[in-house]
Amino acid sequence: MAATPKKKRTAARILAVGAGLATVGALVAALPAGASGTKGGGNHGRYVDVQLLSFNDLHGNLEPPTGSAGRLTRLKEDGTTETLNDVGGVEYLATHLRQAREGNRYSVTAAAGDMIGASPLLSGLFHDEPTIEALNKLKLDVSSVGNHEFDEGARELARIQNGGCHPTAGCFEKGKRFRGADFPYLAANVTNEKSGKPLLDPYFVWERNGVKIGFIGVTLEGTANIVSAEGIKGLKFGDEVETINKYAKVLERKGVKSIVALLHEGGLPASGAYNYDCDSPGPGNGISGPIVDIAKNVSPQVDALVTGHTHQAYACTIPDPAGKPRTVTSAASFGRLYTDTTLTYDRRTKDIVRTAVASANHVVSRDVPKAKDMSRLITRWNALAAPIASRPVGYISADIDNPLDATAYEKPLGNLIADAQLEGMAPADKGGAQLALMNPGGVRAPLVHKASGAEGDGVVTYGEAYTVQPFTNMMTAVDLTGAQLITTLQQQVSGANQAAPKILQISKGLTYTLDMTKAGADRIVVSSVKLNGEAIDPSKTYRVAMNEFLAGGGDGFAVLKEHKNKLVGASDLDMFTAYLAAHSTPAAPLAPPATGRITVVK
């Protein structure tokens, strides 16, 4: 393995002590070589080409993702686009990365967070131990944390890093103890509120034959708004730019002048094509979203930014504070792409020659041999999961899609889930809900008609349903006034969500117009908001179904915290599977629900 063996590493990188959290110092360690051959002048030339391979937002997708989750869009030379089907899967990602490393003596592999969390059942059922095992085999050198690394709280993240059996589920394989991640997780901007110390190592220094590159890892400042509050008590999530700039100075003082930021925050390119040139017509002109302002303010000491979170694909430049172009990349999600960046290192200055930096995203196609070690890993864990995963829970007549396109505001699968939640919470003794709201980020994969195993086409297994809704959020029914409901819709496109709208999926009967030619809250045409054809009355009280994440104000919906008379029901997954069972049979499978609840003006 390229990573330092655990018994040779420094003391545990993250410690949870009593009710509080203690930290350890930053790790500054060298890793052994991960590839053979020389490039860029070999050991003795002034310039050395360092290969940086990176990816993000894997979300435990070990098996090849299906449906829209396993597709990419490619821009052709004539300006038209084509769809690439059947991409991704860790068996193929491993092969592509290993082939890319061949002939590159100086090669480092890094990730920008959300390696785990919101995972398919194969990984999620085992608290993502299979994914960490796979990443160890992939020889991942370093990763930042993402918001989903906190899905089960800071204590579970400690176990993921350091190893040990799950506190309630125990060890999953007889005679085997989970070893934890061989690579360091970095979280420079996640600190203990009382001590101010980082929860995890803030940076990591990769070294090979005197060539040193420092990595600073941060998650988005808004992480606390999109994860369960219980698991992150006592933690503070700091400003990304301030944190990166702080540790860039620390690294410089330690003599490390070549620096890469691993940042779990991203942007939205103007095109969904993975090979779109977002530097057209000028540097960074084809990309928007939070990453633009961040990149423009991160210190020029930082030579490249590897980003994530938005699940988009881009490899372009955004000017730094000095006005000089700097590489900013993201490799979509689910292991469908990886980024190959060449960093030309100057031995004399110990810095990266920024004008020589080149990046490109590469498709993880399935026309290469499967990595046998990954196939064995998947087979082993599938055998443990099979009794639960293979149970049929419903039947569908066609794909029920969950488009990954950021402008696909209303999604067929989102409608289905919202309808399931309304039905589950509508009975008087279950909450008396009149409508349901579902956060779009909680819908993780499409339902695919084609069989994934031996179950047969059109059969929805428990494993597939789990992959769609892996969080097991408890459902609630709450009181909201009509005014609060309208404010909720406005908060989809204003405030924290103005730059990257989060359009809630809504149950049947609720309709409105979304005018994207306007700005902020004005994008919601208030007079168009109706329930079963009747205009929403601002002074009237409505019973609304939603998961506890939304009820706590998650995803920037602060007004939802003002709810009253909360009643807690079953989990979202239980309601989803109950709905599938109630509305489908082998002879009468469920058809994809129509869209049109939201009228979009562009």
Side-chain angles (χ1 to χ4, degrees), residues 315 428 467:
T467 298

Side-chain angles (χ1 to χ4, degrees), residues 430-449:
K430 301 293 185 183
Q434 298 165 272
L435 66 138
L437 305 175
M438 175 64 195
N439 55 305
V443 186
R444 305 305 300 185
L447 282 180
V448 178
H449 184 264

Side-chain angles (χ1 to χ4, degrees), residues 68 75 119 163 200 202 313 343 364 435 449 456 510 560 564:
S68 57
L75 187 64
S119 305
L200 290 147
L343 302 173
V364 177
L435 66 138
H449 184 264
L510 182 62
L560 294 180
K564 295 180 180 179

Side-chain angles (χ1 to χ4, degrees), residues 355-433:
T355 55
V357 174
S359 292
N361 278 323
H362 298 274
V363 176
V364 177
S365 61
R366 300 179 193 167
D367 57 359
V368 297
K370 294 181 180 180
K372 292 181 180 179
D373 57 341
M374 296 299 173
S375 297
R376 288 192 296 269
L377 180 152
I378 289 170
T379 298
R380 196 178 90 244
W381 286 103
N382 263 331
L384 292 173
I388 298 172
S390 60
R391 176 169 58 88
V393 295
Y395 306 87
I396 56 176
S397 63
D399 289 357
I400 304 182
D401 212 357
N402 180 51
L404 297 177
D405 183 352
T407 61
Y409 299 127
E410 183 184 353
K411 307 166 191 277
L413 188 53
N415 287 353
L416 172 62
I417 289 170
D419 289 348
Q421 295 177 351
L422 174 59
E423 183 169 296
M425 300 298 289
D429 63 339
K430 301 293 185 183

Side-chain angles (χ1 to χ4, degrees), residues 129 164-166 169-178:
E129 289 182 19
C165 297
H166 191 271
C171 293
F172 298 112
E173 295 181 289
K174 188 176 181 179
K176 290 186 179 180
R177 181 180 182 276
F178 176 56

